[in-house]
Amino acid sequence: MSSMLSSALRNLPASSAWAAGALARSLSCSSQFQAAVQPKTKKTLGKTGVKNVVVVEGVRIPFLQSGTSYADLMPHDLARAALQGLLTRTSVPRDVVDYIVYGTVIQEVKTSNVAREAALGAGFSDKTPAHTVTMACISSNQAMTTGVGMIAAGQCDVVVAGGVELMSDVPIRHSRKMRKTMLTLNRAKTLGQKLSLISKIRPDYFAPELPAVAEFSTSETMGHSADRLAAAFGVSRLEQDEYALRSHTLAKKAQDEGLLQDVVPFKVPGKDTVTKDNGIRPSSMEQMGKLKPAFVKPYGTVTAANSSFLTDGASAILIMSEEKALAMGYKPKAYLRDFVYVSQDPKDQLLLGPTYATPKVLERAGLALGDIDVFEFHEAFAGQILANLKAMDSDWFAQNYMGRKSKVGAPPLDKFNTWGGSLSLGHPFGATGCRLVITAAHRLKKEGGQYGLVAACAAGGQGHAMIVELYPQ
């Protein structure tokens, strides 16, 4: 598989950091799966007068394909399980937590503030405030940085952030005509008024409004956008399939070797205990090549095999001021440093968030791309990831679209998503950001690095990037 993707990548610019040798190393460098390596000492990114915010621990329940073991639950059930897993892992007293923030995208109307419902279910005091944020695929990133801001501002010392998504059961609404009729019917006072309204109902009123992962402003699905983006940057079907196979292969290796330490077991009511992600399925190029385009037919290149799948899951992360963590006897895993949010054209540049966010966060932190030891980028689609890396490695794109004199460069593959990514591990929209951050922290410790860069795209043409710094060992 390494040789196949290496061959496909020869079409990239000669100056690209995407060298075939880098891929080979990312697939075969067993040293990064052995004992932890002591990191090289670099400058710390702490700033005078600014509180250091640290990650104490992060967990997630297994990410599962929608329609499987979590299908009969509700979102707050998954979020509650993640919170309970965090409490078990850390033994943090519930009354020490000052605030809880959760991210989600497809909201269950019965529990619109899912953070609050999950917190109460997990046994937190009803005096602990909790709120929910939504920012598409970077919702839990927003939850985390909201917590960072609260701590930096001195409002809190201990925040739990997280995210949840349950794609097995999404809201399906009546048509607008039927909703208006039902609401009016609810206000009708006499039998005559009610019968008059009922008589106006027509068969087409019963047609439901089915949910779609589509942009409101463009009415275009993200898969369609990914197809156009791949075409715009010349990303072939072969490249996409090989990248997806790489993601699954690396995820399976990480899972088998016990590297996915953030996963906590979840006893599903009435069912068995779930202990691992169920979407990791290394296939073959031959099998993947048989799939038909999923969005742009018949000539598109995005298929079910090279896209992230609909996923159920939840995550939770414990964030503290450094002083509080040390006072409580914790050894933090990492500092959360500089972060940025970006937005761009929601049609032609919908999924280019990492390209725009990466140089900005590096500049804020005073770092160069070469200073980063591990990269954790959200993989919405293989074509999206490859298009971003080509855009990042293009002087022309930097000059004509980003207002920069030169490119930032593309991350080398031997540092990039080497424990798998959203294509293989799964992508519960609201929960992915926490997985990216805690994975970056674990990889930094395991591989002997100091700085990690987390980046993700989101619907609406938005993106996020954050610098994670390993806590001194």
Side-chain angles (χ1 to χ4, degrees), residues 226-267:
D227 237 327
R228 288 196 301 101
L229 186 67
F233 283 90
V235 181
S236 69
R237 166 75 179 268
L238 179 64
E239 288 177 287
Q240 293 175 59
D241 285 353
E242 288 187 316
Y243 183 87
L245 184 54
R246 172 189 187 267
S247 181
H248 282 273
T249 301
L250 291 174
K252 185 67 166 63
K253 183 177 179 66
Q255 186 180 68
D256 290 346
E257 299 193 12
L259 297 176
L260 306 180
Q261 302 168 30
D262 55 331
V263 178
V264 294
F266 176 26
K267 175 63 175 72

Side-chain angles (χ1 to χ4, degrees), residues 27-258:
L27 291 172
S28 63
C29 56
S30 59
S31 61
Q32 65 188 21
F33 299 108
Q34 297 172 358
V37 180
Q38 290 300 315
K40 298 177 182 178
T41 302
K42 301 178 182 178
K43 67 176 182 178
T44 181
L45 300 181
K47 299 176 181 177
T48 303
V50 178
K51 280 191 174 184
N52 285 327
V53 180
V54 297
V55 171
V56 173
E57 184 60 274
V59 303
R60 61 183 177 90
I61 59 173
F63 287 176
L64 304 186
Q65 292 181 320
S66 63
T68 56
S69 294
Y70 300 156
D72 296 329
L73 302 179
M74 292 180 67
H76 72 284
D77 294 320
L78 306 189
R80 179 183 67 240
L83 288 173
Q84 290 172 331
L86 184 67
L87 292 169
T88 299
R89 179 73 64 88
T90 63
S91 298
V92 64
R94 289 175 174 82
D95 59 0
V96 170
V97 176
D98 299 311
Y99 209 100
I100 298 171
V101 193
Y102 252 74
T104 196
V105 180
I106 310 296
Q107 292 192 345
E108 164 60 57
V109 294
K110 292 183 178 179
T111 57
S112 58
N113 186 2
V114 70
R116 177 65 167 170
E117 303 305 330
L120 293 174
F124 284 90
S125 167
D126 58 11
K127 302 297 189 292
T128 304
H131 81 272
T132 301
V133 296
T134 186
M135 201 173 181
C137 300
I138 53 177
S139 292
S140 63
N141 304 73
Q142 183 59 254
M144 285 184 286
T145 57
T146 297
V148 170
M150 288 177 167
I151 294 171
Q155 296 296 313
C156 301
D157 280 319
V158 181
V159 174
V160 171
V164 62
E165 216 67 52
L166 182 68
M167 297 305 295
S168 290
D169 183 25
V170 296
I172 298 176
R173 305 198 301 178
H174 278 292
S175 68
R176 190 177 187 90
K177 291 179 181 178
M178 179 60 89
R179 297 200 307 271
K180 291 179 67 175
T181 300
M182 293 173 71
L183 289 171
T184 305
L185 186 64
N186 192 50
R187 295 192 296 270
K189 293 184 169 41
T190 68
L191 178 61
Q193 290 174 332
K194 293 179 180 179
L195 291 175
S196 176
L197 287 167
I198 292 173
S199 69
K200 296 178 182 178
I201 295 176
R202 298 292 178 265
D204 65 314
Y205 281 32
F206 293 95
E209 290 183 358
L210 299 176
V213 184
E215 292 294 299
F216 180 81
S217 59
T218 65
S219 298
E220 188 174 75
T221 66
M222 292 185 70
H224 194 128
S225 298
D227 237 327
R228 288 196 301 101
L229 186 67
F233 283 90
V235 181
S236 69
R237 166 75 179 268
L238 179 64
E239 288 177 287
Q240 293 175 59
D241 285 353
E242 288 187 316
Y243 183 87
L245 184 54
R246 172 189 187 267
S247 181
H248 282 273
T249 301
L250 291 174
K252 185 67 166 63
K253 183 177 179 66
Q255 186 180 68
D256 290 346
E257 299 193 12

Side-chain angles (χ1 to χ4, degrees), residues 43 45 338-340 354 356-372 375 377 392 404 408-409 411 451-453 465-467:
K43 67 176 182 178
L45 300 181
D338 292 275
F339 62 87
V340 298
Y356 284 88
T358 295
K360 289 188 175 182
V361 80
L362 289 172
E363 289 166 3
R364 285 183 63 89
L367 299 175
L369 193 75
D371 293 320
I372 303 300
F375 295 86
F377 278 31
M392 292 171 67
R404 298 177 56 84
V408 65
Y451 303 136
L453 196 156
M466 176 187 287
I467 300 295

